[in-house]
Amino acid sequence: MNTVLNKKVRFEALGLVDYQQAWDYQEKLLAENVALKAQNRTLAPEQQQNTTNHLLFCQHPHVYTLGKSGHPDNLLVNDTQLADIQATYYKINRGGDITYHGPGQLVGYPILDLENFFTDIHRYMRTLEEAIILTCADYGLSAGRIDGLTGVWLDFETLQHPRKICAMGVKCSRWVTMHGFAFNVNTDLSYFGHIVPCGITDKAVTSLQQELGRELPMEEVEEKVKGHLAELFGMEWV
């Protein structure tokens, strides 16, 4: 357990970045924290160093990612078709099934040492969801959760036409997190037609743009999400 809680978080806006590059960067930050925690266990409390926390925001070129519990059959196109739509495909080490990332989608990667906040992965997931729910409310949209499913949904109460607006999938190693959420802002939703999103066959996908009928300024949405995350986690920006 950390002897001193460090709620300072370094925020980085990476812009449009290749998926593999962002993945490698996350792995690097996670490995550094895990190594530091291992070192701290061998030291007296006064000699230990604070672990670090990071929040990365970015967008990706068209890419499909399959989580370790996912089914490859949920990708509905072959390699040739992937090339035709200028998309790539990765099997990755987060939870969850298959999802899509692309331009106009806000992807958030928190690399947090949860021992600085709370050691509860269920609470962590619900807190990420809550930041998106609050952001949707900022735009007059009622969003929430559906029992048994991760992510953030519209029409989550009546379930007459449930639509996912934000997908989530995380990895946690020694309480250090990576991967995160994908919030559809101005996303080209046609790309979801090439997969069974998150392995769910009977529910739709949507975006802020689709729901509001207009394109949203990405930086404006990013600031709202960032603000809600800071408040919910008690983050201090570095």
Side-chain angles (χ1 to χ4, degrees):
M1 199 69 181
N2 296 346
T3 55
V4 178
L5 299 186
N6 175 29
K7 293 184 178 292
K8 293 180 179 179
V9 180
R10 182 173 298 280
F11 173 75
E12 293 183 71
L14 302 180
L16 185 67
V17 60
D18 176 76
Y19 186 82
Q20 185 69 57
Q21 182 180 345
W23 187 3
D24 291 345
Y25 187 36
Q26 290 182 76
E27 291 275 15
K28 174 180 177 292
L29 296 174
L30 181 143
E32 289 173 352
N33 258 340
V34 169
L36 181 56
K37 295 182 81 164
Q39 176 183 295
N40 281 343
R41 287 197 297 273
T42 70
L43 300 173
E46 65 274 10
Q47 296 176 307
Q48 295 178 10
Q49 300 179 54
N50 286 342
T51 51
T52 61
N53 306 292
H54 304 262
L55 177 62
L56 313 178
F57 276 3
C58 65
Q59 298 177 52
H60 292 307
H62 304 297
V63 60
Y64 297 104
T65 67
L66 182 72
K68 58 188 177 182
S69 59
H71 298 281
D73 289 348
N74 287 329
L75 178 67
L76 306 178
V77 290
N78 58 33
D79 290 345
T80 300
Q81 293 167 317
L82 278 173
D84 288 343
I85 60 174
Q86 298 182 310
T88 53
Y89 170 63
Y90 291 94
K91 294 180 181 179
I92 60 175
N93 59 0
R94 60 159 171 80
D97 206 288
I98 197 165
T99 195
Y100 161 77
H101 301 308
Q105 183 187 71
L106 172 58
V107 180
Y109 295 130
I111 295 87
L112 306 179
D113 179 0
L114 290 183
E115 286 191 328
N116 288 319
F117 300 95
F118 46 77
T119 51
D120 183 332
I121 196 67
H122 179 80
R123 180 180 170 189
Y124 172 67
M125 294 288 290
R126 304 294 80 80
T127 305
L128 293 182
E129 290 169 349
E130 188 65 21
I132 305 301
I133 291 169
L134 292 172
T135 302
C136 288
D138 290 336
Y139 290 99
L141 297 176
S142 177
R145 304 174 182 86
I146 295 177
D147 286 346
L149 301 175
T150 59
V152 176
W153 300 79
L154 302 186
D155 194 12
F156 63 99
E157 294 171 314
T158 67
L159 297 181
Q160 291 182 349
H161 181 45
R163 309 177 298 287
K164 178 178 274 191
I165 199 166
C166 183
M168 296 192 179
V170 303
K171 174 188 174 183
C172 188
S173 178
R174 297 193 181 276
W175 292 117
V176 181
T177 66
M178 66 175 285
H179 300 300
F181 61 85
F183 184 22
N184 295 327
V185 181
N186 302 315
T187 313
D188 182 348
L189 299 178
S190 70
Y191 275 81
F192 286 99
H194 303 298
I195 60 173
V196 180
C198 302
I200 300 169
T201 59
D202 61 345
K203 294 178 177 62
V205 177
T206 192
S207 67
L208 284 180
Q209 182 181 34
Q210 174 83 4
E211 297 295 326
L212 300 176
R214 60 184 174 89
E215 188 172 337
L216 281 297
M218 287 297 294
E219 288 187 3
E220 175 186 284
V221 178
E222 289 173 4
E223 282 303 308
K224 291 182 183 297
V225 175
K226 182 182 172 187
H228 290 308
L229 286 171
E231 184 173 356
L232 290 166
F233 281 94
M235 295 173 171
E236 303 169 26
W237 301 119
V238 185

